[in-house]
Amino acid sequence: MQTINTIRLVISQPNVRNAPSEWDFKNDAAVEAAQTRCLAAGLEALGLIGKPIDTISEYLTPGEKQCVYCRAKAECPKLEKVVAEAVGMDFDSTPDTAETHYPEDKARLAKLFLLLPLIEKWSKAVSQKTIAGALAGEIGEAEGLKVVEGRAGNRAWDNPAEVEEEMKAMRIKRDQMYTFNLVSPTRAEKLIAEANPRKWKKLAARITRADGTPTVVALEDMRQAINVKPADDFEVVGESANDLL
């Protein structure tokens, strides 16, 4: 029986980086020890299933990655604490009296920026849970909320086929009845590329794509950084600098 000495893990994410990420793991005592620790941690985690969230607070470590699929975000005390500390707000106070402390130093501002994805996940979870409770009649006026009718949907024909026939009977012009749009490059590729590569190659040469908008991310992001220039404090508009002397 052949023995496996090395395991290579390869993760390919073309949208993130061109080359795949690779890791080699040797089948030695270190790997075996890590597997043992993982097994023990997994069994411990399984033992916590079903317990009230306030009784397992010591195990909670909020973070953007570990909170992605957690269904307890809306009532997680540790996550609520992270958000409260980030925005500098006392959640026991009313919106009118709560104070939000905006950061003045760049390091603090950057730290808060990196927390925004986690805060947004928490905010969405709280919103979904509250709306579900209100629609189920479990949360209402006693808690300061009520359910009202939202904005009406877009207008639409009750029976498009019958309306189409009525328009034809009214002799409404064809260009008034219908709108025609050229298919997108993505749709065209699906329709043409495989069936006729030669035609698609010619059409593909006509595709343009706008540059991506500059985006701020953490240093751990795999994308290449771009150079940015500090904005000038003053800019002369409409006249040359010499004309002002």
Side-chain angles (χ1 to χ4, degrees):
M1 186 177 188
Q2 186 176 4
T3 302
I4 299 176
N5 297 316
T6 303
I7 299 175
R8 171 167 292 181
L9 174 63
V10 180
I11 299 179
S12 178
Q13 296 176 291
N15 292 336
V16 177
R17 56 181 301 178
N18 294 329
S21 301
E22 300 183 15
W23 295 269
D24 287 337
F25 300 93
K26 295 187 179 298
N27 189 14
D28 53 18
V31 173
E32 185 177 351
Q35 292 174 340
T36 302
R37 289 195 300 271
C38 289
L39 177 60
L43 293 174
E44 185 176 11
L46 290 173
L48 300 176
I49 294 177
K51 292 187 177 180
I53 192 169
D54 56 345
T55 65
I56 60 174
S57 180
E58 62 180 294
Y59 295 97
L60 304 179
T61 54
E64 183 183 353
K65 294 181 179 179
Q66 56 266 42
C67 291
V68 171
Y69 302 108
C70 179
R71 290 179 291 181
K73 287 192 288 288
E75 59 266 15
C76 177
K78 282 288 189 70
L79 180 52
E80 180 180 317
K81 183 178 179 181
V82 169
V83 176
E85 291 177 350
V87 301
M89 181 180 289
D90 180 6
F91 286 163
D92 292 330
S93 60
T94 63
D96 294 333
T97 60
E99 294 184 3
T100 300
H101 304 285
Y102 296 98
E104 297 180 358
D105 63 281
K106 294 181 289 185
R108 172 67 173 159
L109 188 63
K111 182 178 180 181
L112 288 175
F113 179 82
L114 293 174
L115 280 174
L116 288 181
L118 178 61
I119 294 175
E120 289 169 358
K121 287 182 175 66
W122 173 83
S123 175
K124 184 177 180 180
V126 171
S127 177
Q128 291 176 339
K129 191 173 183 66
T130 304
I131 291 173
L135 294 178
E138 300 170 355
I139 300 176
E141 295 182 4
E143 291 76 29
L145 300 176
K146 64 180 179 179
V147 179
V148 298
E149 184 175 350
R151 181 180 178 181
N154 296 331
R155 297 187 301 172
W157 300 119
D158 57 354
N159 190 316
E162 292 183 1
V163 173
E164 183 180 23
E165 292 303 320
E166 287 183 22
M167 285 186 174
K168 290 179 179 179
M170 296 175 184
R171 299 186 182 278
I172 295 177
K173 295 180 179 179
R174 185 177 179 84
D175 59 350
Q176 294 177 325
M177 287 179 55
Y178 303 100
T179 57
F180 298 91
N181 296 302
L182 191 63
V183 296
S184 67
T186 301
R187 177 63 177 164
E189 184 177 13
K190 292 180 179 179
L191 295 172
I192 303 172
E194 185 175 346
N196 197 317
R198 183 180 60 82
K199 289 183 178 180
W200 171 244
K201 184 178 180 180
K202 187 174 182 179
L203 288 173
R206 303 298 303 272
I207 296 175
T208 63
R209 194 170 190 175
D211 294 334
T213 303
T215 302
V216 181
V217 298
L219 284 177
E220 292 78 11
D221 193 283
M222 303 301 295
R223 286 169 288 185
Q224 181 68 35
I226 61 176
N227 293 324
V228 293
K229 296 181 179 180
D232 295 333
D233 292 336
F234 300 98
E235 182 179 354
V236 178
V237 179
E239 300 181 37
S240 69
N242 292 331
D243 294 336
L244 299 178
L245 297 177

